[in-house]
Amino acid sequence: MIENLPPCPKCSCEYTYEMNALVVCPACGHEWVPAAEGSPEGGGAAGERVVKDAVGNVLQDGDSVVVVKALKVKGSPSGIKAGTKVRGIRLVNGVDGHDIDCKIDGFGAMQLKSSVVKKA
């Protein structure tokens, strides 16, 4: 727990609070990860981003995963069924929580959320 929380970088509100690993501003709703002491904010070299699957296993580039939830795919009459195996994933900073880039047989290249897959 951080003793002296930094003010909000967007609105400069001093009444910020911690929520899990994030610091939250109650005035504007901005959430951010506080910088470690002595390192500049946004320095990714000190702490690698950790991506975990639906059951908490740490994922890495090149892993194989299994889809644990049936997924609807726009433009396809049938979606991706639960139990579909995906090989050779790549971790990315995707949009809207989609942090896995992969190719699925019959569907092609797409992005998945780590919360709907399990490490194989």
Side-chain angles (χ1 to χ4, degrees):
M1 188 168 165
I2 302 172
E3 289 195 23
N4 295 326
L5 294 172
C8 178
K10 283 200 171 184
C11 70
S12 301
C13 177
E14 60 185 26
Y15 301 110
T16 57
Y17 61 93
E18 280 187 297
M19 184 172 68
N20 297 328
L22 299 174
V23 177
V24 182
C25 174
C28 68
H30 179 63
E31 300 176 347
W32 72 97
V33 177
E37 287 191 32
S39 69
E41 188 162 353
E48 282 283 322
R49 187 174 68 106
V50 176
V51 177
K52 295 186 178 184
D53 66 2
V55 293
N57 297 321
V58 177
L59 296 174
Q60 297 177 352
D61 285 343
D63 282 346
S64 294
V65 295
V66 177
V67 178
V68 296
K69 178 181 174 185
L71 303 171
K72 294 180 182 177
V73 178
K74 253 187 196 177
S76 174
S78 64
I80 299 171
K81 296 179 182 177
T84 302
K85 189 168 186 176
V86 181
R87 294 187 185 106
I89 66 169
R90 196 167 53 108
L91 301 178
V92 295
N93 289 328
V95 179
D96 199 28
H98 294 82
D99 45 13
I100 296 174
D101 197 18
C102 62
K103 288 184 181 177
I104 299 177
D105 294 336
F107 292 97
M110 64 176 43
Q111 290 188 340
L112 298 173
K113 292 184 178 183
S114 58
S115 61
V116 298
V117 298
K118 177 176 75 169
K119 193 170 186 175

